[in-house]
Amino acid sequence: MRRKNGFDPYLALIVAVAQMVIAKGASWGQRLDREALDPYAYVLLLIGPLAVLLHRRFPLLTTAAALAACDLFLIGGYAYGPTFISPGVLLVLLVLRGRRLMAWVMAGMTLLSFLTYAWMVGNRDLFHSVWILTSIMLLMVVAELVRTVRERRAERERTAEEEARRQASEERLTMAQELHDVLAHNISLIHVQASTALHLIDANPEQARTALATIKTASKEVLGEMRSVLNVLREGAPRSPTAGLDRLDELIERCGVDVTLKRVGSRPLPPQVERAAYRIVQESLTNAARHAPGAAVDVRLEYGEQELILRVSDSGSGTTGALSESGSGNGIPGMRERASALGGTLVAGPSGTGFEVEARLPLPEETS
């Protein structure tokens, strides 16, 4: 409340100074036709600024008081001009502060009082009456235009804030999904390799050492990826996670399964498609390591003109169909959500003795 009222004292002071200065000049310029300023005139000149100061709390009363002071100043025979400022300012404030009906009613009262005074002093010139009407109408139209501009600006700011909140919410959801995928993949890999190491530590120490080395690499990788995702929260950090297909070879090397990668064609991809494709491959390899340990996995990327086709299939290990959407994890539904978010599709299910995931992600047209 204090912040909203902070401008009123300054506006009241500006109106007071303007009316006093203009009154001095107008009184001297009209000294042959109008009365000289006296204490009564100065009191009337101060009523308007006081009304501006109290206008927010008493809008109707203060506007009426300023108009009455203006009329009394004119009836007293003092110079034309200075007391018109306060009623005009208060009418504009009524419009800007949302009291439009009151503003137009008071504008009508102002017009009526000015025309009545003109007729009282014998000035019945039609041009003079039209000039008064035009001046008041112009003032009100300008006030309405300013109000409209302010409302549209406020609406744009509100829309921008809502859009910023929506984007922040989407970024948080993206980070949550990235963290889930990173943790799910690496924890599953660590689990599989730890089981392998425990099983082979006595019979085959060399292979157990390889499994332990994979665990070390996976744990380091998960810490690095978590740091990359969480850096999004820091000022000046990238606004999106950085996983992409350029890291696919590194992912395959440490996934703990026998993977054959084949790329058909090549073209630049949008960052969101890169990220989604990487995570789909990552989740598919995690599922293969978890549900078909020891199976051979084929990863195929086909870069078409209109879509990226991604297939991850494994040879199976006697547990065909063990991977399904009814499990407790979020693997296949999560992959499908990533594809759908880009307007693509994802199909996952048994294929022969194994399992296959196929994703089709739409691509924009290439520009030369």
Side-chain angles (χ1 to χ4, degrees), residues 182-197 211-219 221-222 250-257 282 285-287 289-290:
V182 169
L183 290 173
H185 171 74
N186 287 282
I187 296 302
S188 297
L189 178 59
I190 290 172
H191 172 74
V192 171
Q193 295 298 326
S195 300
T196 301
L212 292 172
T214 301
I215 292 174
K216 178 181 178 181
T217 302
S219 61
E221 178 68 19
V222 72
E250 178 185 348
L251 173 66
I252 290 174
E253 288 179 2
R254 58 179 177 79
C255 68
V257 294
Q282 183 184 59
L285 295 179
T286 300
N287 290 336
R290 181 187 304 167

Side-chain angles (χ1 to χ4, degrees), residues 113-316:
S113 67
F114 287 174
L115 293 178
T116 301
Y117 172 76
W119 279 59
M120 286 175 55
V121 298
N123 187 350
R124 301 182 180 183
D125 183 18
L126 179 61
F127 177 80
H128 182 263
S129 299
V130 171
W131 181 85
I132 295 175
L133 172 63
T134 303
S135 300
I136 295 177
M137 287 296 297
L138 180 61
L139 176 70
M140 296 302 293
V141 169
V142 170
E144 290 285 358
L145 289 175
V146 173
R147 179 193 62 83
T148 301
V149 170
R150 291 178 59 180
E151 288 182 351
R152 289 181 178 178
R153 181 184 301 168
E155 179 65 23
R156 287 196 299 268
E157 292 176 353
R158 183 166 56 252
T159 301
E161 291 176 358
E162 292 176 355
E163 179 65 17
R165 286 194 294 269
R166 185 190 65 80
Q167 290 181 357
S169 177
E170 290 182 354
E171 288 176 359
R172 286 193 292 269
L173 290 174
T174 299
M175 286 188 289
Q177 190 174 31
E178 292 293 314
L179 283 173
H180 167 269
D181 291 345
V182 169
L183 290 173
H185 171 74
N186 287 282
I187 296 302
S188 297
L189 178 59
I190 290 172
H191 172 74
V192 171
Q193 295 298 326
S195 300
T196 301
L198 288 174
H199 180 70
L200 299 174
I201 193 168
D202 293 326
N204 194 337
E206 287 300 323
Q207 191 171 351
R209 185 177 293 107
T210 301
L212 292 172
T214 301
I215 292 174
K216 178 181 178 181
T217 302
S219 61
K220 181 180 180 180
E221 178 68 19
V222 72
L223 290 175
E225 292 229 29
M226 288 182 63
R227 187 179 297 110
S228 173
V229 174
L230 294 177
N231 275 343
V232 177
L233 298 176
R234 297 178 181 175
E235 185 177 358
R239 298 301 293 170
S240 62
T242 57
L245 294 179
D246 58 330
R247 301 174 56 190
L248 197 55
D249 291 332
E250 178 185 348
L251 173 66
I252 290 174
E253 288 179 2
R254 58 179 177 79
C255 68
V257 294
D258 181 18
V259 180
T260 301
L261 173 63
K262 184 176 182 180
R263 289 185 172 93
V264 179
S266 178
R267 59 167 295 184
L269 301 178
Q272 61 271 23
V273 176
E274 285 257 357
R275 187 167 61 250
Y278 178 89
R279 294 305 183 192
I280 290 173
V281 174
Q282 183 184 59
E283 183 66 25
S284 300
L285 295 179
T286 300
N287 290 336
R290 181 187 304 167
H291 298 283
V297 179
D298 290 323
V299 177
R300 180 182 176 90
L301 299 176
E302 297 182 13
Y303 295 81
E305 294 184 359
Q306 298 181 345
E307 64 181 2
L308 172 67
I309 303 176
L310 189 158
R311 292 188 183 91
V312 181
S313 58
D314 64 73
S315 59

